[in-house]
Amino acid sequence: MTRSLHHRAIENLGTRIVSGELPAGHIMLAEKLEDELSVSRSVIREAVRVLQSLGLVETTKRVGIRVLPPSRWNPFDPQVIRWRLASDARGAQLRSLAELRSAVEPAAAELAAQNAPAPLRLELVDVAHAMRDAGNKGEVPRFLELDIQFHSLLLSGSGNEMFANLMGQVAETLTGRTVHGLMPDHPHEAALQWHVDVAEAIARGDASAAREASDKIMRRTMSQMSETWTEQPRVFIPVHR
Amino acid sequence: MTRSLHHRAIENLGTRIVSGELPAGHIMLAEKLEDELSVSRSVIREAVRVLQSLGLVETTKRVGIRVLPPSRWNPFDPQVIRWRLASDARGAQLRSLAELRSAVEPAAAELAAQNAPAPLRLELVDVAHAMRDAGNKGEVPRFLELDIQFHSLLLSGSGNEMFANLMGQVAETLTGRTVHGLMPDHPHEAALQWHVDVAEAIARGDASAAREASDKIMRRTMSQMSETWTEQPRVFIPVHR
DNA sequence: GAGTTTTGATGTCTGCACACATCGGTGTCA
DNA sequence: TGACACCGATGTGTGCAGACATCAAAACTC
């Protein structure tokens, strides 16, 4: 199952740039890329255009295609995130996503309590209960699935399309947690109850209670994960101008 | 100062899609676009590739270039945001950004208090004081400039590249506020002090105080703006699968 | 209605002309 | 002689035109 050629070119170059194999400032020539990847100019040009829109490269006449520093990359682009998760920066990317998530979810819970459509509220309660059951029984795969569904519903119910868009990335962090063995066999009982609390608060439209319970979940999650991150270097993006 | 042709093609199509002039499901043919925009095939193809990576269109053989629904768009892409701000959905976009910002900034303040480099902390304090002065004197343009700089420094100081990347969009919401006449001539005195509180808490590494003060600012900002948004329809992105 | 053929649009490749930033040589002036 | 401004050569991206390949929708056959 191989996508189009230009898609493969994007993958190839994107992966190598994000991994650091092609460092910032490195200059590539379109012609070189043609025979390196054994594709035609049009394929390279289309790929470069996409990478350009992601902030990974810039083109200059008479110079070539220049790799840009990480501070110029679009950190919200799903492809960039995927490439970073597949690179040495996986830990830093997971931390960034977790921090974003822990900031957004309580806000999303608050908004969902105010705005979510009724059916979504009911589904959220159902999922929270099913989640608690699966957690208590130690059914880890089913628990993970329900966990992802719960948080997806929560973000979606906020009615903020940016929050909702984080669903995909959230799934990554949750599954990534299990891969790293950060998920206990039996999820914390209090945490399970907090999920139910969030759902029920949203169901009855209690915004501050929803935020509060969601905040508890996030604080616990962050403190769980923060231990493994202390060695990840932080990058400070300079404020331009 | 006109950018490259493909850039203009991206602008043209992106604007028309986001504005709704080209609705979801609408099908375009590359050949039609060529003479409509009076450019060659390669220009159209490169533009379509970029729009594809933004989730605005998809291409299907034997069918053409299909416009995708808003739920498929990447809501974090700066171009998409800019196009939405220029469309009828400007209000909804500003609300989304403000909600995101009010969720992220207190978290960023907390992180900055823990991680920001020393020079940045000092600069933050300076800016906060200058901001208070400018605000008390009613120097609105200078205040706005400092306001943007303050929040940029804050997000940058978090050491989370996703937070830092929101700087540009934040500037939009702040300037957008003045355009909409939502900015009083004399900023609220308490709010000015809260900015100083945030900066000083970060300077002395008091994470919870920094979050608290930042949260006050955000809550006040949100309550100020929320009145003008009540009529903006919310869009709920369905959770796929 | 299942399988096959036709068809039409995107996907890929190539040769060419042009724009233009960079570099190096040339000329001028002190 | 040396410093500096000018200017043309060179190389690389940008844009154009046309050909063929591919492949899935649609039409057709049985």
Side-chain angles (χ1 to χ4, degrees), chain A residues 9-28:
Chain A
I10 292 173
E11 281 301 315
N12 183 311
L13 294 174
T15 304
R16 290 201 287 163
I17 291 172
V18 172
S19 75
E21 179 190 334
L22 301 173
H26 180 80
I27 286 182
M28 304 174 292

Side-chain angles (χ1 to χ4, degrees), chain B residues 188-199:
Chain B
H188 196 254
E189 283 187 24
L192 291 173
Q193 183 55 43
W194 293 336
H195 280 76
V196 175
D197 291 346
V198 169

Side-chain angles (χ1 to χ4, degrees), chain B:
Chain B
M1 149 71 191
T2 62
R3 303 277 293 265
S4 52
L5 285 185
H6 90 268
H7 188 271
R8 269 191 281 174
I10 291 174
E11 248 354 91
N12 182 312
L13 294 174
T15 304
R16 291 202 288 165
I17 290 172
V18 171
S19 75
E21 180 190 334
L22 301 173
H26 179 79
I27 286 181
M28 304 174 292
L29 269 45
E31 197 182 354
K32 295 283 182 185
L33 293 177
E34 288 176 37
D35 30 323
E36 185 183 331
L37 302 184
S38 305
V39 292
S40 72
R41 181 116 182 258
S42 57
V43 172
I44 292 295
R45 290 184 53 79
E46 287 164 26
V48 168
R49 284 281 173 265
V50 172
L51 295 174
Q52 193 177 30
S53 86
L54 301 183
L56 263 63
V57 302
E58 70 181 358
T59 60
T60 315
K61 284 191 172 186
R62 171 76 202 209
V63 174
I65 302 155
R66 181 182 295 114
V67 177
L68 293 174
S71 61
R72 300 283 299 275
W73 304 347
N74 179 356
F76 284 101
D77 187 90
Q79 294 185 106
V80 174
I81 292 174
R82 189 160 44 76
W83 292 329
R84 283 196 80 204
L85 286 173
S87 77
D88 292 343
R90 175 181 176 84
Q93 179 66 76
L94 281 174
R95 181 182 57 197
S96 292
L97 283 171
E99 285 171 356
L100 177 63
R101 193 187 150 214
S102 78
V104 161
E105 277 210 24
E110 193 173 349
L111 287 171
Q114 294 163 345
N115 306 305
L120 194 149
R121 298 178 197 239
L122 299 179
E123 193 179 355
L124 203 50
V125 173
D126 286 346
V127 172
H129 286 145
M131 216 178 130
R132 185 171 55 183
D133 293 346
N136 284 332
K137 290 179 189 163
E139 300 171 354
V140 176
R142 172 151 173 76
F143 172 79
L144 179 62
E145 186 190 342
L146 288 166
D147 196 19
I148 291 174
Q149 197 185 348
F150 176 87
H151 294 285
S152 295
L153 281 169
L154 176 59
L155 293 170
S156 166
S158 70
N160 180 316
E161 74 281 0
M162 304 181 98
F163 292 0
N165 188 256
L166 293 173
M167 293 186 301
Q169 324 304 346
V170 165
E172 275 286 350
T173 68
L174 291 179
T175 54
R177 234 178 359 169
T178 61
V179 169
H180 278 51
L182 292 173
M183 209 65 174
D185 282 354
H186 275 263
H188 196 254
E189 283 187 24
L192 291 173
Q193 183 55 43
W194 293 336
H195 280 76
V196 175
D197 291 346
V198 169
E200 291 180 344
I202 289 173
R204 69 174 185 272
D206 188 339
S208 59
R211 165 184 274 278
E212 198 65 32
S214 173
D215 199 54
K216 278 185 190 165
I217 298 173
M218 288 300 113
R219 290 200 172 275
R220 183 182 154 74
T221 303
M222 288 298 289
S223 72
Q224 260 188 313
M225 307 186 77
S226 62
E227 302 156 13
T228 65
W229 289 335
T230 47
E231 73 268 23
Q232 300 292 342
R234 283 194 183 266
V235 178
F236 293 90
I237 312 285
V239 41
H240 75 297
R241 258 186 301 177

Side-chain angles (χ1 to χ4, degrees), chain A residues 131 140 143-144 147 173-188 221 224:
Chain A
M131 216 178 130
V140 175
F143 173 79
L144 179 62
D147 197 20
T173 68
L174 292 179
T175 53
R177 239 185 347 175
T178 60
V179 168
H180 278 51
L182 292 174
M183 209 66 176
D185 283 354
H186 274 264
H188 196 253
T221 303
Q224 260 188 314

